[in-house]
Amino acid sequence: MKDFKTAFFFLRLPAAVSLLGHGLVRLPKLPAFSDWMVKTMEKSAIPEALIVPFSYFLPVAEAVIGLMLLINFKTKYVLYSALALMSLLIAGSCSIENWTAIEAQLLHCVYLFGLFWFYERFGGKLNENRVNTE
């Protein structure tokens, strides 16, 4: 691939902005977001003692993962982290039968996996071999 860096930046951009945006809009209103999450998860079997800390962790994790994805820092591990975070969100959504949210979360997972595949397929070779493909 002739211009992997540019192509990969524009492939990462939507996922990075989505995650960063989710985190940044929630950070200034963490107590309100936490209250909303606790109320949303009332019918879940997940105890409130787990929901509250997760509700404070989630926006920070989203913002950090989004920023790291945007700047292409430790991309492979950031993608693993993003997929793990999405899996936790899917588990929570399943516990309250929020199938609409699961669809959006699965779409994020598919996109993140696509980024991972693209990185492994093209990025790893360029980084390992330092080959000029032009």
Side-chain angles (χ1 to χ4, degrees), residues 3-72:
D3 196 1
F4 170 80
K5 287 183 181 182
T6 303
F8 193 55
F9 170 76
F10 284 108
L11 282 174
R12 287 190 331 267
L13 190 60
V17 170
S18 176
L19 287 163
L20 185 59
H22 273 86
L24 289 180
V25 300
R26 293 171 174 163
L27 283 173
K29 55 182 181 180
L30 276 175
F33 175 71
S34 180
D35 291 343
W36 171 83
M37 186 174 273
V38 167
K39 184 170 174 41
T40 301
M41 301 296 288
E42 280 177 340
K43 295 178 183 174
S44 169
I46 302 169
E48 187 175 325
L50 292 177
I51 295 169
V52 172
F54 185 77
S55 70
Y56 281 89
F57 164 78
L58 178 61
V60 174
E62 290 171 325
V64 168
I65 289 170
L67 179 62
M68 290 174 73
L69 193 56
L70 185 65
I71 64 173
N72 203 27

Side-chain angles (χ1 to χ4, degrees), residues 11-132:
L11 282 174
R12 287 190 331 267
L13 190 60
V17 170
S18 176
L19 287 163
L20 185 59
H22 273 86
L24 289 180
V25 300
R26 293 171 174 163
L27 283 173
K29 55 182 181 180
L30 276 175
F33 175 71
S34 180
D35 291 343
W36 171 83
M37 186 174 273
V38 167
K39 184 170 174 41
T40 301
M41 301 296 288
E42 280 177 340
K43 295 178 183 174
S44 169
I46 302 169
E48 187 175 325
L50 292 177
I51 295 169
V52 172
F54 185 77
S55 70
Y56 281 89
F57 164 78
L58 178 61
V60 174
E62 290 171 325
V64 168
I65 289 170
L67 179 62
M68 290 174 73
L69 193 56
L70 185 65
I71 64 173
N72 203 27
F73 181 76
K74 301 286 185 183
T75 304
K76 183 177 186 176
Y77 302 105
V78 169
L79 290 169
Y80 285 149
S81 300
L83 286 163
L85 183 64
M86 285 296 146
S87 297
L88 290 173
L89 292 172
I90 290 169
S93 295
C94 284
S95 74
I96 58 170
E97 300 182 60
N98 186 347
W99 312 123
T100 305
I102 294 168
E103 290 172 6
Q105 292 157 347
L106 285 171
L107 185 58
H108 273 81
C109 289
V110 168
Y111 196 91
L112 290 164
F113 174 77
L115 284 173
F116 181 78
W117 179 86
F118 191 81
Y119 177 80
E120 286 290 300
R121 175 74 170 94
F122 298 108
K125 287 183 181 178
L126 291 175
N127 291 333
E128 290 170 11
N129 301 330
R130 300 280 185 215
V131 174
N132 186 355

